[in-house]
Each structure stands twice: as C-alpha cells, then as structure tokens.
Amino acid sequence: MSEQTSEKRILHAPFSDDIIRTLKAGDMIYISGIIYTARDAAHKRMFEMLEKGGDMPFDFDGQVVYYAGPAPAKPGRPIGSVGPTTGGRMDAYSPALIAQGLKVMIGKGTRNDDVINAIVKHTGVYFAAIGGAAALMARCVAKSEVVAFDDLGTEAIRRLEVEELPVVVAVDCEGNDVYKQAIEKFRES
C-alpha cells in the first residue's frame, strides 16, 4: 500500500512486487508498518538454517529487513538508537535469502553484483538509511520485540513497528544503483 502526499511518499510494509516496481533509484520514501532487524550474526544463522532446510524465523514474503543492531531502550522508549549497518556485511548471505522471498533490505553502503543480480531477478529493492542519525531513526519506532535469536543480544531479530522511517532507494528492481551513479558522476567531473 502506498500513500502519496505533496510532501512525502509513505509506503506501508510489507511490500508487493507492484509497489517495488514503482520505486526508482534515488527516490526518497518513508516506511510505516512492520519491519525486522537482522545483522551479520542473524543473517549467518538464517543462512545456515536455510541450508539445513529449516524454516525462517519470520515470513519473508514482501518483508523489510533493516540491517541494524539497536542499542538498549531508554526508560519509556521502545528502542534505543537504531542506525543502519553496512549492507555489504550481509552480501554473502543475501542472494540465498532473497531467493527465499526476502524483498526489501535497508542498510548503508554498496552491495556486490551477486546481491544486485538477485534483487533484479526476484523484484527486490535495497534502501539506504541515514548513517549517523541512529537516535533520530529510533524516534520512528513505535514498538519493538525480539522474535528470534535472543542469545545474539543486539543482533537478535526484532520485529519493529515503524512510523515514517526515512530511506532512499539505493538499488531499484532494475539494478539501478545510486552509489554507482554517484561514482560515475564524480569521475566525469
């Protein structure tokens, strides 16, 4: 579901392929709804579970995974600072998880060609979140609960209810990549 206002485009998770196809590299959007956090250790564990034929800790269909390991919550808040982790740290695991239905990822930094090819093949999208603004990102979280791998501490998988989490389309479903575009423009100047 998508809501367009004159000021901002708000998308509601989970995402359908039709919504993902409307997103273009460089678009600024705001995500509301349910998303999940997962970083390196959780990705490795999910990948190993997948290799053994196990079930994933949540249904990947159209879901959003935010590469983040939130800080502990302050009193009265659902979560502490929750800034993005470098997406490249998940590159070894992402193509297999994308093939299993993971559609939407949020992180920072570039992704390798295998991930971009999987995004294109399976109609996915990679968003960039604002690095260095973890405290501000936490203000977008209304609820937080651990749903898997509690033993991983901050790297446990959390289910977050977010309201207008700001992100930029870094890699769209056609493989257009804002990072590569920026490098090309820099080289041309």
Side-chain angles (χ1 to χ4, degrees):
M1 181 187 295
S2 176
E3 176 183 329
Q4 182 77 41
T5 68
S6 60
E7 296 178 19
K8 59 175 101 172
R9 183 174 180 197
I10 302 167
L11 299 180
H12 297 271
F15 288 48
S16 68
D17 285 0
D18 289 339
I19 290 294
I20 291 170
R21 286 186 192 102
T22 70
L23 302 170
K24 302 300 176 204
D27 288 354
M28 174 81 181
I29 66 129
Y30 297 81
I31 299 173
S32 291
I34 302 301
I35 68 171
Y36 294 85
T37 64
R39 284 187 42 173
D40 316 38
H43 272 72
K44 181 179 183 210
R45 195 171 287 178
M46 287 189 293
F47 182 79
E48 290 167 349
M49 290 168 64
L50 188 60
E51 285 186 318
K52 294 176 184 172
D55 292 330
M56 294 295 96
F58 61 93
D59 181 6
F60 282 174
D61 189 31
Q63 283 302 340
V64 179
V65 171
Y66 182 21
Y67 301 150
K74 292 182 179 177
R77 296 295 307 155
I79 202 166
S81 295
V82 62
T85 297
T86 302
R89 293 170 62 170
M90 272 49 76
D91 282 359
Y93 314 112
S94 292
L97 298 177
I98 293 167
Q100 289 300 307
L102 181 61
K103 293 285 187 179
V104 185
M105 299 149 285
I106 304 171
K108 66 179 180 181
T110 60
R111 305 308 299 270
N112 73 23
D113 289 340
D114 291 339
V115 174
I116 293 171
N117 291 337
I119 287 170
V120 171
K121 181 177 180 179
H122 299 285
T123 314
V125 64
Y126 173 59
F127 291 111
I130 303 163
L136 295 174
M137 300 296 270
R139 292 183 186 175
C140 298
V141 178
K143 293 181 183 174
S144 170
E145 68 176 305
V146 173
V147 295
F149 313 147
D150 191 36
D151 61 302
L152 296 179
T154 60
E155 290 206 33
I157 295 177
R158 285 175 173 71
R159 181 181 184 273
L160 305 181
E161 183 179 320
V162 298
E163 297 170 359
E164 298 184 17
L165 184 74
V167 294
V168 174
V169 178
V171 178
D172 65 27
C173 69
E174 296 175 359
N176 299 306
D177 182 336
V178 295
Y179 295 106
K180 288 180 182 174
Q181 292 169 355
I183 290 168
E184 288 170 12
K185 282 186 179 185
F186 178 76
R187 288 182 177 153
E188 290 172 2
S189 61

